[in-house]
Amino acid sequence: MNLNPFWSMSTNTSRKQRSDSEEQGGPEEQRASPARPPFGKKQLPAIPSNAAPITKPASTATLAQSANGTHASYGPFYLEYSLLAEFTLVIKQKLPGIYVQPSYKSALMWFGVIFIRHGLYQDGVFKFTVYIPDNYPDGECPRVVFDIPVFHPLVDPVSGELDVRRAFTKWRRNHNHIWQVLMYARTVFYKINTMEPLNPEAAVLYERDVQLFKSKVVDSVKLCNSHLFDQPKIDDPYAISFSPWNPAVHDEAKQRMFTYKRRPEDHHKGMQVLGLSWVRPGSTQPFSKDDNAPQS
Amino acid sequence: MSWLSRLNPRAPGSRAGRSAAPSGPCTADPETCLMVFENHWRQVSWVLEQREPSSSSDDLTAVRNHTDQMLCLLAEERLGEGSEGSPNMGPILELVVTDNILEHLVQWHLRRGLDSESQGALLKLFEMLIGQSQQPLLQHRAVLQPLLGLLGACADPQLGCPPVLENSLVLLLNQVCVSMARQPMVLEMLFRSTPAQQGPTNLLIFSLLVPFIHRDGAIGQQARDALLLVMAASASHEAVARYITENSYFCPVLATGLSALYSSLPRKIEVRGDDWHALRREDWMGVSSLVLFMNSLEFCNAVVQVAHPLVRSQLLDYLHNGFLVPVMSPALHKSSVDEMIASTAYLDLFLRSVTETALLKTFLRFLLLHHHDNDTILDTLLTRISSNSRLCMVSLSLFRTLLSLNCEDLMLQLVLRYLLPCTHVMLSQRRAVRETDLYGKSADKFLSLIPECCRLSTVPPGEREDDTVFWGKVLNSPSTESPVQPRPSTPSRLALFIRQQSSGGGSGGVVPSTPTSTEPAPSSPRGSGPPSSHPMSPDSPMHQQQVSIDCLDWESGYLEYLHDARRGIELCSWACQNWSAPYDGENPSPNMAPSPPPPPTSNPSLTVFPEHFSFQHSGSSNSPPGQQRAAIVAAARSEWSSSERDSGEWDVTIGKNNCISLTPRSKKRSLQREELPPKPMPPLLPAPSSSFSTSLSASNTPSSSVPHLPASAFTVTHQAMLNGMTGQGDSCSDSQDRGMEVKKVKRELGEQHHLDENSNQNDPPQPMHNDDNGDISDEKPLCPKQIHNLSHCSLPLSDISMPSSDGSQRCSVPSSLPDTNLKDQGLQSVERLIEELLEQAPGDHQLSGDSNGQGISIEAFTQELRELEDRMRERSRAARQPEETAGVPPSAARQVDEPTPSSPLDSELAGTRVSTKAKAESSVMGLSSPARPLGQPASQPYIGPFMVVLFAKLENMLQNSLYVNVLLTGIVAQLACYPQPLLRSFLLNTNMVFQPSVKSLIQVLGSVKNRIEAFAASHEDFPAMLRKAQRYLAARGKVDWSDSPVAVPPLRRSDSLVKSRKPSLGDLILRHTNSPTRARHAAQLALAHVRDGGQSLHSALFRGGPGSGGGVMGLEKQAEALRIKNAVYCAVIFCEFLKELAALAQEHAVSLPFPQSQGAEE
């Protein structure tokens, strides 16, 4: 997919906040991480309870035809919108420590960064790229490739690719979503799995000599972090890049980030009035709210 | 006057320069001024000190002159230099205060006895002083006290202010209030320092102003402005607020004044165009009574905005109990359609104009909670959507306004409470309520409903440069796989009409016609397009590159729909963030939700046209009470009781659409009906028992099928035929009206209950002829389905004039005659009728009230069409059943006709459909669909009357007029913007499995699609017509795009406050006020043009075609043309609507919710 103004248009809103937070999150993380106190006991942040697939498998067949069917002309819209919808789901999931941003050039490529906040890989900041097959959602599961191969049993030491497929042996539309892949990419750093490793050395070390494994991990984390400010590997306007904290730039951005309130796209101040409601929460009766409640 | 004119030379800054900077005049040094002032004062005091107040006019003149000069000096005096920057009084003011000069002056005048001239002069003088003074004056008792003394003299306890002084008084009061607003302490002083003799009404200024609240013109405006200032100043002043609420008549005067003003509004709105459906500012600016009302309403709005909570709540109470309930509610329930239209349009206007939340709440409370004869106002209003007249359009417009409020309470009542229990969804599907259309499945489904016959896209390459980026390779594939048949554009009626339009544009602008070579090149009205290269491409910046308008926007518009959908959803979900619950199927819990009200036991639409029941006053006595159906009773009750209450006198009126209505006679009511002479009742009810229907049926017999039946004879039939904008025949468009009619007739006769056998194959056999008890029907809720069934037999029912035994016998006549047979007969009759009608056609135009011959109004036309059909039906009936009806009026036999699902004309037009589908389709058509089938237990899921009525109307799209369809699809799209999963899934999730009794939007659309395809199949030139319709709408849109306002004011913004808005065409039919898409916009503008240009589409269509000679075009041709036109436009709108829905489904999947009540903190 080549340069697509439409795509950029449609991501604009979300981009506004995402990109802010990313630019912001990086340096801040950078700065804060040495002193970061552990979250109480070291434990995985809870996985959202609704992580289980919500949808039911019933409706797999019908869509297949749409690609070739009478409405083929709308096909690109479906793909773009499916990916955009996936992205929206990611945002809604609020995955801890994970940020992604679709590429400017192709909706099938997402840039991401993951912050590991505790555990063996604590303080690790790993940039990665998600590659989504172009026959999504009917193809394989998306691939996740770290910019720098992290020392990890499930990460290919050469290509940096994470073994995602083991978790999504078959990619099932409606069941599987990209946020789950991201979630998985995060989990592997907290819960080490050495089965059928892509990096046998790491797997063996983890089994046999945890201390050495740990030190190698620390080295790997350091290596990754030392390249944090490198130019993005892929040249793309939306690629995630880090820069040292520069108060002149970042303070203001941070300020904006904290005060940011999303509004409708072409929302003019004072133009749109909020909706009306006099329904008391918990009630389904109109005008059940206390009359004395302040009216906007 | 002389005072002021004499003032002027010395005070150049007086009137005109009042607001100018206090620079020029007072260049003289303060001491000199003081000396001059003292000099004047000496001379005045000499006069004043005379014992006997002299009556000499010399004295008066002298005093006046000196006072005049003195006050000018005082007004011009600047603040003195005070210590530490706090300014002191100037020396003159100081003198005035210490010597109490003004008090002396005023007292002298009062002692002398004030004639109105010197009183007026004093008022003006004070007004000048207060308005122009360079320093604050009113805070000094020495100024305030004499002022109040003067004002007190103006307030005659009995007579009020003498008329000649009103202007001066109000102006002075206004000035006082202005300076009070600047110096809040003045209010306090005013409040305290009132002379004791004023008694309880101690805020004199206030009580002087109140009488002027509703005054016309500048004086009223000044008074309202002044009062508003008092309100604002007293907002934080509890004592004053208390005084206003407890001791003044402010609130009651304001509220009841509205009632008075409302009662003087026109009861009938002169309708200028076929598309008219809402009052725009331009509409009412010329209607003085409406302007007056709107001014006062605006004032109420402002008071609510600024006043102290005490005042506000009192005012709102009075508005509710003193205006809405006693005045607005009966007005909305008037029995004549004209009045309903007017009151609905007024209500719509009011709602659009009110901006204050609290005031809106009062209105909404009234709409949602106030019961008028058992139904809430809201329920009554929504049923009117099902009518076919302009009432439908006005009602749609009202609901568009309501929906745009994004009000939770409203949505709860309208839709959500019916969806809350989730009973409409299969149990297994409940979880799916929250799903969004992740992979475009629903969107695909919607798009797949675009009829094949409408996919005629020719895409001139290069025309879509900008689009190809998005559409990529896939884009072009459809155009290659479905090559367009470049049919030679036969000069169809549409072509004629398009051509006509291009030359016949009125003030609203000329419509460029399409660039077909056969048609004259239009000149774009505003801005000359680049004439050399493409003479006909309108000069719109957005469309410079068009090579051909053909199909330009009709395939590529999807992006814009996406954009609009995004915007609509965003705005809507932003607005909904302060709702109390997400309505996602879990919160509020389905189990906790109170069960929604069951479907009405009587069809709500019955109450829509209460005039249907007007006959009951005489007719009901004829029917044995025991045989009256409960449902009908219930439905009729409202009209009964309400009308009976009013007065004993009755006006019998024949409305514009020939509905007969009985209205309680009251003083002003009959004004606008005068054009239509009231018909006395007797002719309609010639004999006590069933003769009414006899006359009715007689009017329908072939022998009497003359277009101009005596009004009294055919009114009732007409009624069924008329209302509509929709030209379609019996089974669809006016099924409700007919249903009602049937009921009415039934109710009168009470014995036979005919239900159409044919229209419900899907249901268990209906009780065809209720026995005398009518028990079956009695128990059953009279749901729309039933109405639908009834509708088929509406006319036949007139045979009730026969002995009842006969009736039942006839009912059992095998209902289904071979369709072909029917058709043949129908066609024959058509021809015969055509001949007849042709002879009389010209005269018919009078019906439209279009005496100037400018065009045939759509209503009139529809009316004619219906007439035509009716007569044809009669013919065929009569032809088929001579033997049966031997002893009875021929028309009585019509009942047997029941199986005819649609008129012969209809079948001719859509032959294939009729011949094949009759049965199956008939149950789908008309009102039936979303309603629950007859006889189902009441626990069946019911999606609420609003959805039912919308879906029913939607299903009828093919017969609806363009205008109705534009409004209607707009409302559905508006609903589909709501982010609440319950509503979203109900409308947009095409995979959702509903309970069998609940019809889904996609089903409704599917049936529309089938009808369009059937229609297209029966019309060879459909593609050509479609293209022309598209081109026409697109071209129209472009013309007006170039100068349509960039920012359309949002709905909530008070229309009335937007000054001098240019009559923007786009506002007219605007469905998405803020997001006009090209296609839709085009349609809207087309409508606007029709209206503004004074030349209707229809007149263009039906007059002046080459074949039509001197405008004598056969009625039947017009009928057909209208039908075709509706259908073709429907096809266009339908396709656009599908795209719009698809876009909405897609955008919902990618929209991020706003965190709840994020905006509330702001």
Side-chain angles (χ1 to χ4, degrees), chain B residues 55 73 193 196 220 348 369 434 472 500 662 789 798 803 939 1019 1106 1134:
Chain B
S55 55
L73 287 166
S193 67
D348 181 27
L369 298 186
R434 278 135 66 101
Q500 185 74 17
L662 282 172
N789 300 336
S798 48
S939 62
H1019 286 78
F1134 181 67

Side-chain angles (χ1 to χ4, degrees), chain B residues 153-461:
Chain B
C154 294
D156 184 283
Q158 260 72 50
L159 305 170
C161 174
V164 286
L165 294 180
E166 280 180 346
N167 280 317
S168 311
L169 176 65
V170 171
L171 204 56
L172 171 59
L173 291 170
N174 186 291
Q175 286 301 339
V176 171
C177 290
V178 168
S179 43
M180 183 185 69
R182 293 204 192 106
Q183 306 160 255
M185 64 172 300
V186 173
L187 175 70
E188 183 94 7
M189 294 182 61
L190 279 172
F191 196 55
R192 300 266 151 89
S193 67
T194 323
Q197 68 264 27
Q198 290 305 319
T201 56
N202 53 354
L203 191 42
L204 181 60
I205 299 219
F206 193 77
S207 45
L208 281 174
L209 280 170
V210 167
F212 297 95
I213 287 185
H214 298 292
R215 199 58 80 80
D216 200 358
I219 189 175
Q221 198 56 50
Q222 283 161 357
R224 288 188 290 268
D225 288 349
L227 280 168
L228 210 51
L229 289 170
V230 179
M231 288 299 150
S234 66
S236 52
H237 203 302
E238 171 114 14
V240 179
R242 210 168 280 288
Y243 161 78
I244 292 171
T245 52
E246 287 166 9
N247 293 323
S248 87
Y249 292 111
F250 177 71
C251 292
V253 164
L254 193 47
T256 54
L258 275 187
S259 296
L261 292 175
Y262 186 92
S263 68
S264 63
L265 295 183
R267 289 210 164 56
K268 177 185 173 185
I269 295 176
E270 277 309 323
V271 170
R272 286 190 274 143
D274 295 331
D275 63 315
W276 181 89
H277 65 281
L279 284 165
R280 300 177 302 167
R281 185 176 179 80
E282 307 85 80
D283 289 329
W284 58 263
M285 280 313 279
V287 183
S288 58
S289 57
L290 198 46
V291 171
L292 214 50
F293 185 92
M294 292 305 289
N295 285 340
S296 290
L297 182 64
E298 198 178 320
F299 180 62
C300 286
N301 190 59
V303 169
V304 170
Q305 187 175 13
V306 300
H308 189 277
L310 273 178
V311 179
R312 176 173 64 194
S313 67
Q314 192 191 32
L315 175 60
L316 293 175
D317 269 0
Y318 271 107
L319 280 177
H320 188 270
N321 298 323
F323 168 58
L324 292 175
V325 169
V327 173
M328 204 65 202
S329 173
L332 287 167
H333 289 80
K334 282 297 169 199
S335 51
S336 92
V337 173
D338 275 338
E339 286 180 272
M340 280 191 258
I341 290 173
S343 56
T344 309
Y346 292 147
L347 179 61
D348 181 27
L349 174 65
F350 303 160
L351 286 170
R352 274 183 286 129
S353 306
V354 167
T355 57
E356 270 311 296
T357 310
L359 186 50
L360 264 179
K361 180 184 179 185
T362 305
F363 270 92
L364 289 170
R365 255 195 112 97
F366 162 71
L367 287 180
L368 268 58
L369 298 186
H370 178 68
H371 282 71
H372 187 100
D373 300 313
N374 288 330
D375 281 326
T376 62
I377 306 283
L378 188 72
D379 284 341
T380 304
L381 291 175
L382 66 84
T383 58
R384 293 179 181 167
I385 292 173
S386 64
S387 69
N388 282 307
S389 67
R390 195 180 299 280
L391 185 57
C392 163
M393 284 164 53
V394 172
S395 302
L396 285 172
S397 174
L398 172 69
F399 277 92
R400 185 188 56 192
T401 301
L402 285 171
L403 290 183
S404 73
L405 297 175
N406 296 309
C407 173
E408 179 176 10
D409 309 62
L410 175 83
M411 291 302 288
L412 200 52
Q413 292 298 92
L414 269 186
V415 188
L416 288 172
R417 63 173 164 167
Y418 300 99
L419 302 178
L420 267 178
C422 279
T423 47
H424 63 292
V425 188
M426 289 295 196
L427 201 59
S428 61
Q429 293 265 310
R430 288 202 183 170
R431 282 195 313 181
V433 162
R434 278 135 66 101
E435 281 174 22
T436 53
D437 185 19
L438 209 54
Y439 305 113
K441 244 168 110 174
S442 293
D444 192 59
K445 179 72 178 158
F446 282 120
L447 292 172
S448 74
L449 290 182
I450 294 179
E452 208 51 56
C453 53
C454 298
R455 300 176 191 272
L456 31 77
S457 69
T458 28
V459 189

